[in-house]
Amino acid sequence: MEWTREKRYLPYSKWNAEELLDLQAEAANSDYQMRYHLRPISGLINDPNGFSYFNNEYHVFYQSYPFGAVHGLKSWVHFKSNDLVHWTNLGLAVKPDTKTDSHGAYSGSAKEINGKLFLIYTGNHRDQNWIRTPYQISAWMDKNGKVEDKKVLFKNPDNITEHFRDPQILEKDGNYYAILGAQDKAQKHGHIDVWKSSDLENWEELGFLNFSDEEMGYMIECPNLVQVDGHPTLIFCPQGLDKSIADYQNIYPNMYVTGSKIDFEQCQLTNPSKLQNFDDGFDVYATQAFNMPDGTAYAISWIGLPDTTYPTDKENWANCLSQVKKLSFKDGKLLQQPVDAIKTLRRNEENVDGQTIKENTTGQYELKIKIKPNQAGTLYLAANNDLSQNIALKFDTKQGQLILDRSKAGKVSVSYGETRQIALEGNSELDLDIFVDHSVIEVFVNNGEHVMTGRFFTNPDCQRIIFDHEIDYTGKFWNMESTM
Ligand code: FRU
């Protein structure tokens, strides 16, 4: 079947229920499907949206195109949770059902305001000539999950192109602010645009946020500001960023800067750090983070990238979300850690030792190991007998280096490299908390100083975990219970 433009933007009502059930079954039954990560019910998912705390529960939505593994007509699908690990699917929440979001309810954010959840997102509209107008739209969700009262708030001002999207709602000193990704008309560079409102209805533009002296490529997507232990932290996705400004290998990076103070009125992040990759692996994009009422910062990412195909496309589904990561700041470093409740999924705890950690796994586990200093070797996961298939962690605890290598893990995005590498302290113990969920791996390094995330597609029966030689380490292994 060919994915014509017409087909991708066909209204949801024109698809029949049976087709959707088939697609849902295909996604659910895949050997590569995630079982304890938020995954597509059918079709393609991308950015997390509206990650928030409301009515004493956590909420997250994701961008969804339910009818295939392509970026078609997008909507928001809603999940809620009591612990950030077990999620209940509440179904389609923001539909592309008005003129101003006719070609997609694109990304946005949410915040509890006066007993309701305020949503703000980009309505993607195209006219007969395929000219795009992005509308920034608000809506309100009540405690029963009903979304209503859609209202257009503002459009792109004259100096900004049609690339103007992904508003994040923020509140400071009794005013509301929204930050959005934008491209200026004059130079076609990427920016973060700041808007202000006192009543959530009348909005004025304050200008581009000053957070770096460098040029941010041709567009910034999904800007997100969160306070991490008192450090304003700006997470964003620059597209077309020059690699001399910040090194990255993914097609588009998901980066962050931290500062000492955020001043929306002056459009200024004070003392910005240099740009750093939020994740040191292959597939993290569009991370959203928010602060709980007590200040705790949680983040969740899309595991997937724009303009990238994956092997499950031929099964008509694609991508997933990361596990939720708790953010903190220690010794000048941003740390990302699994939330405590992930431990409730652990089953059959085992101490592991020896060169072979497991001859066979279910593909759904956590492996937490401490590798002693002054050793170099390779840990193969998802491996077969002759190791011709595997995803590998190559470590050197003398020089201080860790490489995630997926060159033997099925074909994904080879043109952007098959290894990712981080530098570590030399002569030190290496702490790895590894989460595997069928075709996704998340490696938390040294208690969250780095996270390396990636999809991999070895044959589903490749389930060995083995070192290349005897290694001095201690570790534990758990099977992980399914949540999806
Ligand atoms: C990022 C993005 C956003 C947009 C959304 C559409 O992945 O391109 O900028 O709002 O996806 O699905």
Side-chain angles (χ1 to χ4, degrees):
M1 181 187 65
E2 205 204 328
W3 279 105
T4 57
R5 180 192 280 174
E6 204 192 339
K7 184 141 207 177
R8 278 188 291 138
Y9 289 92
L10 201 64
Y12 289 6
S13 59
K14 296 266 162 45
W15 290 89
N16 72 48
E18 230 160 89
E19 265 168 310
L20 192 59
L21 287 175
D22 287 350
L23 288 161
Q24 290 176 350
E26 208 170 6
N29 297 331
S30 169
D31 287 332
Y32 291 112
Q33 191 54 270
M34 279 52 70
R35 302 294 165 192
Y36 66 96
H37 285 75
L38 282 169
R39 53 97 169 165
I41 304 304
S42 69
L44 175 146
I45 66 167
N46 53 305
D47 315 353
N49 292 162
F51 189 29
S52 57
Y53 188 69
F54 164 56
N55 196 27
N56 302 313
E57 287 167 315
Y58 302 98
H59 295 263
V60 73
F61 306 75
Y62 56 50
Q63 283 280 286
S64 159
Y65 177 65
F67 301 105
V70 293
H71 289 269
L73 183 59
K74 296 284 174 68
S75 55
W76 290 28
V77 171
H78 182 194
F79 294 86
K80 70 173 188 180
S81 170
N82 291 315
D83 63 0
L84 295 166
V85 171
H86 298 84
W87 294 95
T88 305
N89 176 8
L90 299 175
L92 205 53
V94 184
K95 301 169 197 158
D97 58 1
T98 62
K99 185 165 182 235
T100 50
D101 58 15
S102 57
H103 290 68
Y106 275 10
S107 286
S109 58
K111 184 175 178 55
E112 173 161 6
I113 296 173
N114 300 332
K116 285 197 170 182
L117 193 67
F118 177 78
L119 312 182
I120 181 170
Y121 69 98
T122 302
N124 183 44
H125 172 75
R126 294 206 184 248
D127 66 12
Q128 284 103 319
N129 302 317
W130 210 244
I131 307 287
R132 187 207 297 258
T133 306
Y135 293 95
Q136 311 311 324
I137 301 174
S138 68
W140 293 88
M141 192 183 88
D142 67 15
K143 291 185 174 162
N144 301 317
K146 189 158 169 226
V147 176
E148 50 193 4
D149 207 9
K150 283 189 185 179
K151 220 173 258 161
V152 173
L153 303 178
F154 53 93
K155 285 177 32 178
N156 48 325
D158 283 346
N159 63 322
I160 291 176
T161 70
E162 78 274 24
H163 293 293
F164 184 54
R165 56 182 174 266
D166 312 336
Q168 185 197 13
I169 179 76
L170 294 155
E171 189 180 358
K172 198 169 185 244
D173 305 329
N175 278 302
Y176 297 106
Y177 297 90
I179 57 171
L180 297 95
Q183 179 187 62
D184 74 83
K185 254 185 203 158
Q187 297 190 286
K188 303 261 166 37
H189 290 160
H191 301 276
I192 295 174
D193 201 30
V194 185
W195 288 68
K196 178 184 179 179
S197 174
S198 56
D199 59 7
L200 297 169
E201 294 199 0
N202 300 293
W203 288 82
E204 64 167 311
E205 190 197 17
L206 298 180
F208 294 147
L209 184 69
N210 188 355
F211 65 95
S212 170
D213 294 334
E214 309 285 358
E215 241 166 55
M216 286 299 120
Y218 58 81
M219 175 60 183
I220 290 179
E221 294 189 315
C222 304
N224 183 273
L225 185 91
V226 63
Q227 295 285 340
V228 185
D229 294 332
H231 301 261
T233 302
L234 186 65
I235 306 169
F236 58 102
C237 302
Q239 299 190 313
L241 182 76
D242 195 300
K243 292 194 175 154
S244 65
I245 295 169
D247 198 26
Y248 64 93
Q249 281 177 278
N250 297 348
I251 178 168
Y252 310 116
N254 195 178
M255 298 214 149
Y256 73 95
V257 295
T258 59
S260 54
K261 195 177 139 213
I262 180 80
D263 184 336
F264 294 118
E265 295 293 329
Q266 301 300 318
C267 297
Q268 181 73 45
L269 178 71
T270 311
N271 298 322
S273 66
K274 63 178 182 14
L275 271 64
Q276 291 174 75
N277 288 300
F278 186 75
D279 187 278
D280 290 288
F282 295 96
D283 307 277
V284 156
Y285 199 76
T287 300
Q288 257 200 13
F290 78 100
N291 291 110
M292 289 289 286
D294 72 357
T296 307
Y298 292 116
I300 189 164
S301 312
W302 175 26
I303 305 183
L305 292 167
D307 304 324
T308 303
T309 56
Y310 289 88
T312 66
D313 291 6
K314 58 179 185 301
E315 300 177 357
N316 299 311
W317 67 275
N319 312 321
C320 67
L321 297 191
S322 73
Q323 62 175 284
V324 173
K325 297 162 278 197
K326 185 170 177 256
L327 305 182
S328 60
F329 226 84
K330 202 178 155 205
D331 305 329
K333 286 183 194 154
L334 180 71
L335 303 186
Q336 303 176 47
Q337 279 150 335
V339 299
D340 279 341
I342 198 86
K343 295 188 181 134
T344 64
L345 302 184
R346 291 172 172 174
R347 296 288 175 275
N348 323 102
E349 176 171 313
E350 274 175 58
N351 290 317
V352 290
D353 53 32
Q355 187 181 342
T356 301
I357 294 185
K358 279 264 160 197
E359 271 303 342
N360 205 8
T361 79
T362 60
Q364 200 174 308
Y365 58 86
E366 178 186 352
L367 171 64
K368 197 163 163 39
I369 53 174
K370 282 188 183 126
I371 298 172
K372 298 277 150 58
N374 297 318
Q375 299 186 87
T378 302
L379 174 62
Y380 297 106
L381 301 132
N384 58 354
N385 281 340
D386 65 6
L387 301 178
S388 58
Q389 293 195 51
N390 64 73
I391 180 152
L393 280 163
K394 301 188 167 162
F395 53 89
D396 181 340
T397 56
K398 191 177 165 75
Q399 306 297 331
Q401 192 188 59
L402 182 66
I403 297 172
L404 180 61
D405 181 339
R406 64 173 179 186
S407 57
K408 299 207 166 76
K411 287 267 167 287
V412 221
S413 288
V414 272
S415 33
Y416 294 92
E418 296 183 297
T419 60
R420 295 291 182 269
Q421 178 172 335
I422 53 177
L424 304 166
E425 190 111 351
N427 300 315
S428 302
E429 192 173 70
L430 173 60
D431 189 311
L432 300 176
D433 197 357
I434 305 168
F435 293 84
V436 170
D437 191 0
H438 298 278
S439 61
V440 67
I441 182 169
E442 293 172 302
V443 184
F444 291 79
V445 183
N446 291 340
N447 292 310
E449 282 185 13
H450 298 269
V451 186
M452 302 178 98
T453 300
R455 297 296 303 284
F456 64 93
F457 298 90
T458 49
N459 284 339
D461 58 356
C462 299
Q463 294 297 351
R464 298 175 81 201
I465 310 175
I466 183 168
F467 284 105
D468 63 334
H469 62 272
E470 286 289 340
I471 292 291
D472 193 5
Y473 74 99
T474 59
K476 281 190 196 299
F477 178 94
W478 299 268
N479 290 310
M480 293 298 261
E481 187 170 85
S482 301
T483 62
M484 291 286 294

